[in-house]
């Protein structure tokens, strides 16, 4: 398959460290890059984004082969990594830089995300309203090298963080039937 046939998907679901592994381990995924998007400064640093003054959100940008992994499936994987009822951040991470967002790269992606969000709301899985935003993709800035593939480079820290933040417990409780 030609490289130009790959597509991009961008998701924010709290700490980007925890958003890489669920996608990175799927078939058809070429890359998963941790980074920042949606803000008003150029090439922000981690410290600047965490200050909540740049307007950026921590996110992952996925390059995928749609012949092996559909965008619909990526959105379903996304929902199972987040608390879509918490607009103030995700798990232990609070603030606008940790808000849940599906950033769409095309009108087709927007429609898929909107329909998926509606289906999740109507599923009864959550008692609260699904508040995850669906917004157009903006410039994506890769995070510093030490943030990339964190789950591979620092497995003990990654495991402790994902459990300690409450993410693992929430996912096990809300998605135990998946």
């Amino acid at each position: 398959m030609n490289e130009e046939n790959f597509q991009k998907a961008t998701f924010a679901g709290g700490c980007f460290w925890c958003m890489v592994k669920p996608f990175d381990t799927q078939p058809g995924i070429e890359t998963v890059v941790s980074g920042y998007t949606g803000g008003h400064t150029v090439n922000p640093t981690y410290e600047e984004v965490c200050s909540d003054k740049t307007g950026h959100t921590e996110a992952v940008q996925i390059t995928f082969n749609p012949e092996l992994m559909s965008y619909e499936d990526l959105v379903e994987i996304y929902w199972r990594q987040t608390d879509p009822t918490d607009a103030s951040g995700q798990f232990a991470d609070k603030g606008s830089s940790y808000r849940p967002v599906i950033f769409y790269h095309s009108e087709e992606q927007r429609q898929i995300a909107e329909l998926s969000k509606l289906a999740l709301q109507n599923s009864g899985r959550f008692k609260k309203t699904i508040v995850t935003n669906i917004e157009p993709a903006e410039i994506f800035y890769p995070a510093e090298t030490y943030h990339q593939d964190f789950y591979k480079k620092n497995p003990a820290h990654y495991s402790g963080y994902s459990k300690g933040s409450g993410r693992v417990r929430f996912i096990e409780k809300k998605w135990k039937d998946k």
Side-chain angles (χ1 to χ4, degrees), residues 6 12 17 26 30 32 34 39 42 46 52 54 57 64 95 111 113 128 133-134 140 152-153 163-164 168-170:
F6 283 87
W17 290 348
Q26 300 299 317
E30 182 72 13
V32 182
S34 297
V42 176
Y46 178 73
D52 273 343
T54 69
T57 303
F64 68 101
Q111 290 176 7
K128 297 179 187 175
N133 286 345
I134 298 172
F140 182 87
K152 292 177 184 175
K153 294 189 272 188
K163 288 177 184 165
V168 170
R169 185 173 51 255
F170 179 88

Side-chain angles (χ1 to χ4, degrees), residues 85-105:
T85 68
D86 187 354
S88 68
Q90 293 291 283
F91 312 105
D93 297 308
K94 299 300 180 193
S96 62
S97 61
Y98 296 113
R99 67 195 181 98
V101 184
I102 296 174
F103 293 98
Y104 60 88
H105 292 263

Side-chain angles (χ1 to χ4, degrees), residues 76 114-124:
E76 290 305 311
E114 293 284 0
L115 287 171
S116 180
K117 180 178 176 179
L118 181 61
L120 183 59
Q121 183 65 62
N122 292 334
S123 73

Side-chain angles (χ1 to χ4, degrees), residues 44-164:
T45 66
Y46 178 73
E47 289 75 19
E48 291 170 336
V49 171
C50 289
S51 75
D52 273 343
K53 294 178 183 168
T54 69
H56 289 88
T57 303
E58 283 192 18
V60 292
Q61 188 161 83
I62 302 160
T63 302
F64 68 101
N65 177 340
E67 294 176 10
L68 299 174
M69 173 63 69
S70 71
Y71 185 74
E72 291 94 334
D73 288 341
L74 289 174
V75 171
E76 290 305 311
I77 293 167
Y78 169 77
W79 291 127
R80 294 190 304 264
Q81 310 313 310
T82 67
D83 177 354
T85 68
D86 187 354
S88 68
Q90 293 291 283
F91 312 105
D93 297 308
K94 299 300 180 193
S96 62
S97 61
Y98 296 113
R99 67 195 181 98
V101 184
I102 296 174
F103 293 98
Y104 60 88
H105 292 263
S106 67
E107 179 59 20
E108 179 185 19
Q109 284 188 358
R110 185 194 66 75
Q111 290 176 7
I112 290 167
E114 293 284 0
L115 287 171
S116 180
K117 180 178 176 179
L118 181 61
L120 183 59
Q121 183 65 62
N122 292 334
S123 73
R125 184 175 295 275
F126 295 94
K127 291 181 170 96
K128 297 179 187 175
T129 301
I130 305 301
V131 296
T132 299
N133 286 345
I134 298 172
E135 302 175 4
E138 297 185 35
I139 296 172
F140 182 87
Y141 298 99
E144 297 80 354
T145 303
Y146 68 93
H147 288 300
Q148 305 303 328
D149 296 318
F150 192 83
Y151 81 96
K152 292 177 184 175
K153 294 189 272 188
N154 298 287
H157 188 162
Y158 167 79
S159 178
Y161 179 79
S162 61
K163 288 177 184 165

